[in-house]
Structure formats: C-alpha cells, structure tokens
Amino acid sequence: VYAIDDGRSVADVVQALGSDARVGSVQPMETFHVLAGDPYLPMQAAIQDMNAERAHQLATGRGISIAIVDTGVDLQHPDLAGQIAGHVDLATVGAKQAFNDDIHGTAVAGVIAALANNGQGIVGVAPDARLYALRACWPS
C-alpha cells in the first residue's frame, strides 16, 4: 500500500507501477461503506472484499428464494426476522437438538440473508432473499 504525497495522480502512479517488471499487480485502493447500521459489519472482511455496497445497489436478493440444506436455523434470530419463508426438519431420526438450537445453519443463513441496517449482527450478501431452512443434519 502506497500513500501518494508528491502531487502525482493515482492514475499516474498506477500506470508507473504497472509498467515496472518487478510489480506483479497494481490497483487503486477503494474505500466504501456497505449498507450500514449493523454492529458486526466491520468484522465482515469478505463482504467488503466482494464490494457488497456496489452489488447491493444492483441486487439484494429481492424475489429470490434460497434453500439452506444444513443443520437447523434459529427461526427467531433477529437478523433473520421475516427472512425465513418455510422450514422442514428432514433429520428428525437421531437428532438431539431442537431445530432452533443449531448454530451452523443459523450462521449460514445469516451470511446469505441477514437483514441490513437493522442494528443487529451482520449484513448478508442477499439481505432481501427469502430462505427455506431444510435441516438435513445436526452437529455432533
């Protein structure tokens, strides 16, 4: 990471570095803010690496249904309020936990569709998608 303090433009520095045979890759640093208001958003490096703010300007998952085939999902989780359109427990035989007690499926659902700007937890990559939670396994 370079700071340009000699008056040259970013484009000039990128071009100069890009033409240097010792440099494998060069690109300008981007600064942006994803849909804000969620306390764990600063810890979501992947959301920032994916340039989710720009993506959310074009698509948020609205009108898309996604099946989560995993452990169960906490149907009452505040970051998933209104996101879960249906749920089915396909792994009732041998299950030792209630559907809502499974952490992994809840985490996967949150990464996909956690609500944005609700003051809770994280932001999902498709915060307007509808989820179907299909419990097909359980944690050991």
Side-chain angles (χ1 to χ4, degrees), residues 20-107:
D20 187 325
R22 299 170 295 174
V23 176
S25 175
V26 62
Q27 63 187 21
M29 178 75 77
E30 298 290 335
T31 302
F32 58 91
H33 302 281
V34 178
L35 300 173
D38 299 291
Y40 297 120
L41 180 59
M43 290 185 268
Q44 287 186 268
I47 285 284
Q48 296 167 22
D49 290 344
M50 293 183 317
N51 204 0
E53 178 182 41
R54 192 171 301 162
H56 285 163
Q57 292 172 0
L58 302 172
T60 59
R62 185 178 316 275
I64 303 297
S65 295
I66 300 170
I68 308 291
V69 182
D70 203 299
T71 65
V73 173
D74 181 351
L75 303 174
Q76 306 305 314
H77 195 289
D79 236 357
L80 299 172
Q83 301 298 85
I84 301 172
H87 69 283
V88 176
D89 191 347
L90 304 170
T92 56
V93 177
K96 296 182 175 45
Q97 288 182 286
F99 194 92
N100 287 355
D101 291 339
D102 292 336
I103 296 170
H104 191 268
T106 302

Side-chain angles (χ1 to χ4, degrees), residues 4-21:
I4 304 169
D5 58 5
D6 62 1
R8 292 181 293 165
S9 72
V10 171
D12 288 344
V13 173
V14 167
Q15 183 178 7
L17 288 171
S19 62
D20 187 325

